Amino acid sequence: MYKFTISAPGRVFLSGDPMRYNKLCIAASLDQRTKLIFSLTPKAQNEGHIEINFTSIRLYARIPLSATESFFELGCNNQLTEANLRNLVRNFVDQLSREVFGRSDNYDCNDRAHLLSLQAFFLLLILVSRGDQIWVYTQSSWSVKISTKLPIGGGLGGSASFATCLAACFYRWLFRKDVFNQRDLSRIRYYVQKCERIIFKSPTRLIDSVISVYGSIYVFENAWPTNERLRYYNIERIGKGIPGMKIALVYSNVHKLISEQNKQMESMKQSFPFIKSIQSNIDNVVNKIKVTLDDTELMIGQRDLLKVQKLDYLKDGYVQLAVNFILQTSILSIYSENFIHLLTYTLQKLIRMNQELLRALGMSHPNLDVICNVITPLLSISFAGKLANNGGGGYAFILLSPDSPDAHIDPIVNAYKLHNFTAEITKLNCKGVRNEPTL
């Protein structure tokens, strides 16, 4: 049996609005991961099958390989447009629903999560293989099991994380890639972005695909003013070397559509000219967060460079020079550790400023104040929180100190439960798509 496991992270917006032209937004990977287990088994004499088990949305289906032949034959056409691909996949999933799925399958065509997940599954099968390699899918029975810690529709990049696991799975299987290099990751991101556009119609698809594939922290500048289909971002990775940042991730119990929020903002701009100055101050906060992360990255980079130079001098026998570098490295290590604490403190202040400005615009919610105040008595300091998506509601995060003891985790989670919030402790700035140990 050929078997492997892949996982990909979620995404949060640290600051900024990805939809505003010529402005920055900062997004980070969230260590709430989607996990995929792939298994390949010899095909039985009479019939092979594809087994799909998406546990988080309770979708199970067992599809005979013979039912996929015409679909794969049409999918071999490299000249298919995006519209053709969308229609091909939609029609095939509809056909499966009418003619193939039986009592043992629990696919519900009226369940949007079921429908889009199955469409994304078959679209990515075609996108990754495009050509004769598509017939590899019919040579053996195989199964895909996907579970996730990301809430469905929670605004945390769940669809991109889901698509990344599938794209990486099919890519690894077809090309026998046990390790993904930069070219592989670039191809996987391309497939994910296409799936996000064709199936999930995500307005932040480029951002979400970058974060789910590469992880880390990235700055995005919306460099295209009007045409949403052609929106283009300048992209820069920042914060290299910064360890994962501990957060409390809390469901805010707030439901508000982004479209409603945007209408509210446009209406306020017409009535109150000072709104633009508040938005300008929010932009300044975003730029300051970027500078803070850049400075921390520079300090950590200098420390790591000295470590390399120290080893080179020891290797070449320059003991005294090596000793000097050891002393410098030790000093810089102390400074860099202090920098991590200073980074957390500075980010907490900036997030607080950001939240106060959003409150002034009427774009916050009282629940966010409650979320920040709940744990203040536990840790004896005040906290600032921010909604994790690009507006409206959903999840919020609170940046915690890097040395917050594990003994505080249960009291924090329980304190939120008492106020009817669900919460857990996790991290930002984790790795992107990766291979995991397979049990």
Side-chain angles (χ1 to χ4, degrees):
M1 177 187 288
Y2 179 54
K3 188 175 183 179
F4 59 79
T5 304
I6 284 173
S7 75
R11 178 268 305 136
V12 301
F13 287 106
L14 281 177
S15 192
D17 184 347
M19 298 297 106
R20 290 184 63 206
Y21 167 57
N22 204 28
K23 301 298 180 184
L24 301 182
C25 80
I26 302 174
S29 53
L30 173 68
D31 203 19
Q32 298 286 98
R33 305 184 75 87
T34 301
K35 181 179 178 182
L36 180 152
I37 301 173
F38 174 84
S39 301
L40 183 70
T41 56
K43 186 165 65 173
Q45 276 189 343
N46 297 328
E47 183 68 82
H49 64 269
I50 301 171
E51 185 176 3
I52 298 170
N53 188 2
F54 300 160
T55 59
S56 302
I57 57 173
R58 296 190 176 94
L59 170 59
Y60 177 84
R62 187 179 173 96
I63 304 168
L65 288 175
S66 58
T68 66
E69 289 178 358
S70 60
F71 171 73
F72 287 144
E73 185 175 353
L74 292 171
C76 283
N77 183 357
N78 287 320
Q79 305 303 315
L80 291 175
T81 65
E82 286 191 4
N84 295 146
L85 283 170
R86 184 186 299 111
N87 291 332
L88 174 63
V89 169
R90 284 177 177 174
N91 292 337
F92 179 62
V93 171
D94 288 345
Q95 179 186 345
L96 290 177
S97 179
R98 293 191 312 269
E99 303 174 8
V100 177
F101 292 147
R103 292 182 178 180
S104 62
D105 306 302
N106 65 348
Y107 172 74
D108 180 359
C109 62
N110 295 314
D111 186 320
R112 184 170 174 79
H114 282 201
L115 177 66
L116 296 183
S117 296
L118 212 53
Q119 288 179 358
F121 180 89
F122 285 105
L123 175 71
L124 286 164
L125 271 176
I126 293 176
L127 287 178
V128 175
S129 60
R130 296 303 287 273
D132 293 338
Q133 293 181 85
I134 203 166
W135 297 109
V136 171
Y137 300 138
T138 65
Q139 301 306 304
S140 303
S141 294
W142 51 281
S143 68
V144 170
K145 181 179 181 180
I146 298 182
S147 59
T148 184
K149 290 188 174 182
L150 292 166
I152 304 301
L156 299 175
S159 63
S161 182
F162 173 83
T164 297
C165 283
L166 284 172
C169 166
F170 300 146
Y171 192 91
R172 174 173 172 172
W173 176 22
L174 285 178
F175 302 106
R176 289 298 192 265
K177 289 279 188 174
D178 293 334
V179 178
F180 297 131
N181 58 32
Q182 286 302 309
R183 182 180 180 280
D184 299 329
L185 293 176
S186 178
R187 296 301 303 171
I188 291 168
R189 189 187 73 77
Y190 168 78
Y191 301 136
V192 174
Q193 188 177 340
K194 269 209 161 189
C195 180
E196 284 280 276
R197 179 169 65 241
I198 295 173
I199 302 298
F200 297 108
K201 295 181 171 55
S202 169
T204 58
R205 54 184 172 265
L206 186 147
I207 295 173
D208 294 349
S209 63
V210 168
I211 296 297
S212 62
V213 171
Y214 296 107
S216 304
I217 305 172
Y218 281 82
V219 175
F220 300 85
E221 181 183 10
N222 187 349
W224 201 279
T226 53
N227 191 331
E228 199 280 332
R229 178 177 172 79
L230 297 175
R231 180 170 281 126
Y232 172 78
Y233 291 93
N234 295 320
I235 305 172
E236 177 188 358
R237 182 183 174 186
I238 59 174
K240 295 176 186 175
I242 296 175
M245 296 183 286
K246 191 178 294 186
I247 64 166
L249 185 68
V250 188
Y251 187 65
S252 67
N253 297 328
V254 177
H255 307 277
K256 190 175 182 182
L257 294 175
I258 297 173
S259 57
E260 294 176 2
Q261 188 176 20
N262 291 338
K263 288 179 183 177
Q264 179 184 341
M265 177 60 67
E266 290 303 317
S267 176
M268 289 176 65
K269 282 181 181 179
Q270 300 297 326
S271 303
F272 305 104
F274 64 83
I275 294 297
K276 289 185 178 180
S277 65
I278 298 177
Q279 284 188 322
S280 178
N281 284 324
I282 292 176
D283 295 334
N284 291 337
V285 170
V286 180
N287 290 324
K288 182 61 178 176
I289 289 176
K290 179 184 183 303
V291 170
T292 302
L293 291 167
D294 282 338
D295 288 346
T296 308
E297 176 186 330
L298 180 62
M299 175 61 73
I300 292 173
Q302 289 175 337
R303 179 199 64 188
D304 293 343
L305 179 60
L306 282 176
K307 285 182 179 179
V308 173
Q309 290 175 326
K310 173 191 69 178
L311 293 174
D312 288 341
Y313 280 123
L314 283 172
K315 181 180 178 181
D316 295 337
Y318 297 110
V319 178
Q320 187 56 51
L321 284 171
V323 169
N324 291 338
F325 271 95
I326 289 172
L327 291 174
Q328 293 181 55
T329 304
S330 299
I331 294 170
L332 268 176
S333 293
I334 294 172
Y335 276 127
S336 61
E337 289 302 317
N338 289 335
F339 246 65
I340 298 301
H341 285 80
L342 179 61
L343 168 68
T344 304
Y345 174 72
T346 304
L347 288 178
Q348 286 172 339
K349 285 182 62 178
L350 292 169
I351 289 171
R352 186 176 294 110
M353 291 178 194
N354 187 86
Q355 185 55 30
E356 293 293 339
L357 291 165
L358 289 174
R359 186 183 293 112
L361 290 174
M363 309 303 283
S364 184
H365 193 278
N367 281 13
L368 196 54
D369 296 329
V370 176
I371 288 170
C372 296
N373 294 332
V374 161
I375 60 174
T376 296
L378 290 174
L379 303 182
S380 302
I381 56 174
S382 61
F383 287 89
K386 184 189 178 299
L387 292 174
N389 64 6
N390 63 315
Y395 282 78
F397 71 89
I398 293 179
L399 195 60
L400 303 175
S401 174
D403 54 5
S404 299
D406 291 339
H408 284 158
I409 291 178
D410 287 340
I412 289 174
V413 172
N414 290 332
Y416 281 119
K417 281 184 180 179
L418 290 174
H419 290 78
N420 297 317
F421 295 110
T422 57
E424 63 179 297
I425 308 302
T426 184
K427 288 185 178 182
L428 301 180
N429 192 26
C430 61
K431 291 183 178 180
V433 63
R434 68 188 183 201
N435 294 301
E436 301 280 2
T438 300
L439 300 178

